[in-house]
Amino acid sequence: MSGRVPGVSDILRGTPKAGTGGEVRAVAKYAQNARVNASLFSHFAGGAQADLVPLRSGALTALRANFDQNLLPGAGALQRSARAAGGALNTYANKVDSIHRRADGLRANVVALLYGIERAMGETEEICQAILAPFGYTWNTPPPMEMPEPRMRPGVAPTDADELADKVKRLRQVHERRWYDSALRWQREVDEVATARRRWAELIEERRGAEDALSSALADTPLGQLITVGAGTPGGRKRAIAVGLTGELGGVPRVVDALNTGHPLLAGLFPGSDGSRVWDSPPDPEDVVAWWAALSQPEQEVLIRTVPYVIGNLPGLPAWARDRANKLSLEFYRANPQLLGPEQLKLVAEVQRILDDEAEQHVPNPPIQLISFSLRETVPMVAVGYGEIDSASHLSWMAFGMDNDAQNGIKTADTVSRNLLQEQQLMSVRDATSSPATIGWLGYDTPDKSLSGEVLNSESASEGSKRLGSELDGIAALRGVSDIGMPITNVVAHSYGATMAAIALTLIKVPVDSFVMLGGAGLDLDLVPSLRVLNVKNVTNAQKGVFATTAQSDRVAPTGAAWAGRGLVDANAKSILGWERKVPVLGGAVSFPSDGDPSLGQLGTTGHPLIGSQSRPPLGVRDVGYGDIGSQSLFITAQITMQEIGPETLKKLAVTAGEDVRVLVDSESGRKTFLRVPLREAAQR
């Protein structure tokens, strides 16, 4: 045969198979045994603690305190870790078994397909020899369905034209059907091999995803978080686990004081030189800028090292100072994990992961700065900067919605902030003076559940807006007196984050350049009765830089707005059962599409999330969020925040007209019908 058919290993490169599900389950059983042992320890330790209650002495009091504060909580953390690890390992084992079964079936199928191709090639080559046609086909380039015209060998072919035509016709009749069947089977099997190759690659990717999911699940356990917290220093992991679970290492307890918040140099800003209220009641940023400038460099250094919580969370200070202070606070908590609750430990571990990723890069891209970091509030708070914040020409603040308290939302915030910066950097290549930066801001107590009482009122938004407003004013005050000058300042907000950010924009002194709402959950009509009250610059003489998009498949955002009675800013937003008709539309926002543009290779957002699921659904349709790389919404958001709106995008923008709500009541049934009418018609009623 002229062409070689490759082996199955040449087709299916790499492998999704390694180990067995049984081996993974053995590790899961070990975790289960650890959970049982930790439970027994808790039981006996609890009994010992009860026996100590009637006894009195200083040493016994300290021992009881150690049970209460360290040993019993540590055993509980170990139980939770072992339970979660066992569950994650069993899930992974089931996934491994499933992948292995499909891989074995796929491999066997490819073996059969290659054998079929080899047979078809042999049959076709025989026919070619019989009809004197050249055989120039490779295994993956099948012949056409129509057989070539047969020929006869010179000296054998009849000289009579009619006789020659008759013999050629008989040759065609003998071989034509066999040729067609072989070519058809060959083409079908080549197509199936190509499909199998794609599925094999998907299995490898699925195995990688399963491993990542297992790694993430183990890292999210209390024990995994302690391991992350202790990384990077000799003996750090051993110490973090020992101190985090028992409060001591080698019998030597770690005695610490709470982070200091007082220093005489703070007297110019805080009553009694105490900065403990820096988060809830920060000083005026303009006063902060003047105060900091009046300090000597040694005095600034003293404050960074002695009151890092205060300096790290003080709006109006340069990012370099806040970053250094917040990283000192982080180091303090890493050294003292026994002070951390589960939510705090989770955030410390996640922040450390981000910094570890940066440290592994020879040249950080982007550089990471901790703009704020607090474990003292009702929930942990953090803001992470991507890029050179102090010198950025374009600075975009990212605000997030429900169920995004810092420890839960930091992974999404990290991904979206990097994604937006990546798109912005691509647009800034043409301008050497352009240097964008983003800040993932997780600085408020977000509502916990979709359509819960919390997300349907504006209490969380109102509280969070004060802090975000202070941060925005801080940047304006700092850069307003610097030689670098003011950056292009943007606020990009998702879901309930848009509700919160809009309130913040009514509080700030200096206007921002743009406000972009992605799947916004509506604006509080009492606090933001119209877009005119937002302190946002105009992009034209009559048009504020307020932009909004809601994907057609996103019913969560408009439904939440309708249930909460908040005003929408996108007239195209559709809720469940048409409830969006019950709330007015605040006119004046520039709406832009987020449903994709195949002609430009832009993906459409497929729901409400900022980041789509990283796993491939069964039907192979990618789940795309507003902030995913490749999405139309992220691309246009980058254009807006870089002030680089191109002509193709410009054609897709539309200014939303305001609409009021008219309620019609049926006189017989009392049934209410809600109609939206333009504000002009509403005013004429």
Side-chain angles (χ1 to χ4, degrees):
M1 195 164 24
S2 301
R4 185 183 75 85
V5 178
V8 66
S9 298
D10 297 319
I11 300 297
L12 304 179
R13 299 292 180 88
T15 179
K17 296 185 63 175
T20 66
E23 291 170 344
V24 179
R25 289 187 184 89
V27 181
K29 186 175 181 181
Y30 179 85
Q32 171 68 12
N33 291 337
R35 184 187 68 79
V36 171
N37 289 335
S39 178
L40 289 172
F41 174 83
S42 293
H43 173 74
F44 290 120
Q49 183 189 37
D51 292 340
L52 293 174
V53 170
L55 306 177
R56 295 288 183 271
S57 77
L60 292 176
T61 299
L63 185 56
R64 284 196 300 269
N66 192 35
F67 274 113
D68 285 336
Q69 298 170 14
N70 297 313
L71 297 179
L72 290 174
L78 189 57
Q79 287 182 65
R80 293 194 302 274
S81 297
R83 184 184 300 111
L89 286 163
N90 280 319
T91 298
Y92 177 64
N94 293 336
K95 177 66 76 171
V96 166
D97 286 343
S98 172
I99 290 172
H100 284 197
R101 282 194 302 271
R102 285 177 284 157
D104 290 340
L106 204 56
R107 186 179 181 87
N109 187 44
V110 170
V111 169
L113 290 171
L114 293 176
Y115 176 70
I117 291 172
E118 189 171 22
R119 284 184 56 201
M121 289 182 73
E123 292 173 1
T124 303
E125 189 169 20
E126 288 178 11
I127 296 171
C128 284
Q129 291 172 354
I131 66 174
L132 298 185
F135 182 86
Y137 311 108
T138 60
W139 76 272
N140 58 348
T141 56
M145 301 299 159
E146 184 177 351
M147 189 180 75
E149 185 67 17
R151 295 182 299 164
M152 300 195 69
R153 290 184 178 85
V156 178
T159 56
D160 181 74
D162 291 338
E163 186 180 355
L164 177 62
D166 184 61
K167 284 186 175 293
V168 168
K169 180 180 179 181
R170 276 186 285 171
L171 271 176
R172 179 172 289 280
Q173 289 173 342
V174 169
H175 298 293
E176 189 169 41
R177 183 65 192 182
R178 187 180 173 211
W179 175 281
Y180 177 83
D181 290 344
S182 294
L184 182 64
R185 187 173 68 252
W186 188 347
Q187 182 63 62
R188 185 174 61 245
E189 288 168 338
V190 166
D191 291 342
E192 290 183 18
V193 166
T195 299
R197 179 182 276 161
R198 288 195 298 272
R199 289 179 177 169
W200 187 263
E202 289 173 359
L203 282 179
I204 292 174
E205 189 62 32
E206 186 178 344
R207 177 63 182 259
R208 186 177 295 115
E211 291 168 353
D212 289 344
L214 174 63
S215 176
S216 178
L218 295 177
D220 280 345
T221 65
L223 188 58
Q225 290 158 0
L226 286 169
I227 291 171
T228 301
V229 164
T233 57
R237 287 174 173 162
K238 173 184 175 183
R239 188 188 184 288
I241 293 171
V243 174
L245 295 181
T246 69
E248 60 183 59
L249 175 61
V252 180
R254 174 73 173 185
V255 180
V256 297
D257 296 322
L259 287 173
N260 184 34
T261 60
H263 193 280
L265 288 172
L266 296 176
L269 285 179
F270 296 97
S273 302
D274 180 12
S276 59
R277 298 295 307 280
V278 66
W279 192 274
D280 294 329
S281 302
D284 188 306
E286 293 180 357
D287 295 338
V288 172
V289 172
W291 166 78
W292 186 256
L295 296 174
S296 66
Q297 186 174 349
E299 288 174 329
Q300 292 176 352
E301 184 67 28
V302 165
L303 288 171
I304 288 172
R305 298 194 66 82
T306 57
V307 283
Y309 166 74
V310 179
I311 300 303
N313 295 300
L314 189 51
L317 291 189
W320 69 262
R322 296 178 65 171
D323 175 58
R324 283 192 53 205
N326 285 323
K327 286 175 179 174
L328 286 173
S329 293
L330 180 68
E331 286 302 314
F332 172 85
Y333 286 116
R334 289 182 64 200
N336 298 280
Q338 77 277 14
L339 300 178
L340 302 175
E343 294 178 344
Q344 297 167 324
L345 177 60
K346 184 176 181 180
L347 178 62
V348 169
E350 288 297 330
V351 171
Q352 189 59 48
R353 175 187 61 80
I354 292 172
L355 296 178
D356 287 345
D357 289 345
E358 180 199 30
E360 291 177 359
Q361 301 175 17
H362 180 65
V363 177
N365 183 26
I368 304 296
Q369 293 181 301
L370 281 187
I371 306 303
S372 62
F373 177 70
S374 176
L375 303 184
R376 295 168 174 256
E377 318 315 318
T378 54
V379 296
M381 310 284 191
V382 74
V384 182
Y386 301 82
E388 298 292 350
I389 305 301
D390 286 329
S391 59
S393 61
H394 298 70
L395 184 58
S396 300
W397 293 77
M398 309 284 293
F400 304 88
M402 60 186 179
D403 200 24
N404 271 297
D405 291 348
Q407 74 279 2
N408 298 324
I410 189 167
K411 287 184 178 179
T412 294
D414 180 53
T415 300
V416 175
S417 300
R418 291 176 188 271
N419 287 355
L420 179 58
L421 180 60
Q422 180 177 324
E423 289 285 354
Q424 291 174 330
Q425 287 173 332
L426 291 174
M427 295 176 186
S428 68
V429 171
R430 297 185 297 270
D431 183 359
T433 64
S434 179
S435 56
T438 59
I439 296 176
W441 188 80
L442 296 162
Y444 76 115
D445 187 352
T446 64
D448 290 335
K449 294 181 180 178
S450 175
L451 300 185
S452 66
E454 290 181 351
V455 81
L456 297 181
N457 65 55
S458 298
E459 291 182 12
S460 295
S462 184
E463 283 301 311
S465 68
K466 300 171 187 175
R467 180 68 194 184
L468 178 59
S470 294
E471 293 284 17
L472 292 170
D473 279 341
I475 288 289
L478 178 66
R479 294 288 292 273
V481 298
S482 71
D483 295 334
I484 301 172
M486 290 287 289
I488 302 298
T489 304
N490 313 286
V491 176
V492 180
H494 174 247
S495 190
Y496 187 85
T499 308
M500 181 277 301
I503 301 172
L505 294 177
T506 68
L507 306 176
I508 59 176
K509 298 177 181 179
V510 179
V512 299
D513 292 273
S514 76
F515 175 34
V516 183
M517 290 172 272
L518 307 174
L523 307 187
D524 186 301
L525 294 171
D526 292 327
L527 300 174
V528 189
S530 82
L531 299 188
R532 289 190 297 274
V533 303
L534 300 180
N535 206 352
V536 181
K537 293 179 182 178
N538 284 6
V539 291
T540 66
N541 289 338
Q543 178 60 53
K544 277 186 176 291
V546 178
F547 299 82
T549 187
T550 305
Q552 290 184 8
S553 58
D554 182 359
R555 301 302 174 94
V556 173
T559 299
W563 281 23
R566 292 192 285 262
L568 294 170
V569 294
D570 184 354
N572 297 319
K574 302 298 181 185
S575 68
I576 298 171
L577 301 177
W579 285 324
E580 80 281 354
R581 294 192 297 270
K582 298 183 179 183
V583 293
V585 175
L586 301 180
V590 180
S591 66
F592 63 92
S594 52
D595 296 306
D597 187 340
S599 68
L600 298 176
Q602 295 171 352
L603 302 173
T605 298
T606 57
H608 185 61
L610 262 176
I611 297 297
S613 172
Q614 299 305 301
S615 60
R616 185 181 294 273
L619 297 180
V621 180
R622 181 181 172 188
D623 189 13
V624 179
Y626 285 103
D628 272 316
I629 289 290
S631 67
Q632 184 181 36
S633 56
L634 183 71
F635 177 76
I636 296 179
T637 298
Q639 286 188 319
I640 293 168
T641 53
M642 291 299 291
Q643 298 187 340
E644 292 278 355
I645 299 177
E648 285 295 324
T649 299
L650 200 59
K651 291 186 289 187
K652 301 170 184 175
L653 304 182
V655 178
T656 300
E659 295 181 330
D660 204 348
V661 177
R662 180 182 293 176
V663 183
L664 304 179
V665 182
D666 186 282
S667 58
E668 295 183 2
S669 66
R671 182 178 178 181
K672 294 181 179 180
T673 302
F674 296 85
L675 295 176
R676 283 223 194 115
V677 295
L679 287 177
R680 288 190 299 274
E681 293 183 21
Q684 293 170 2
R685 294 204 308 272

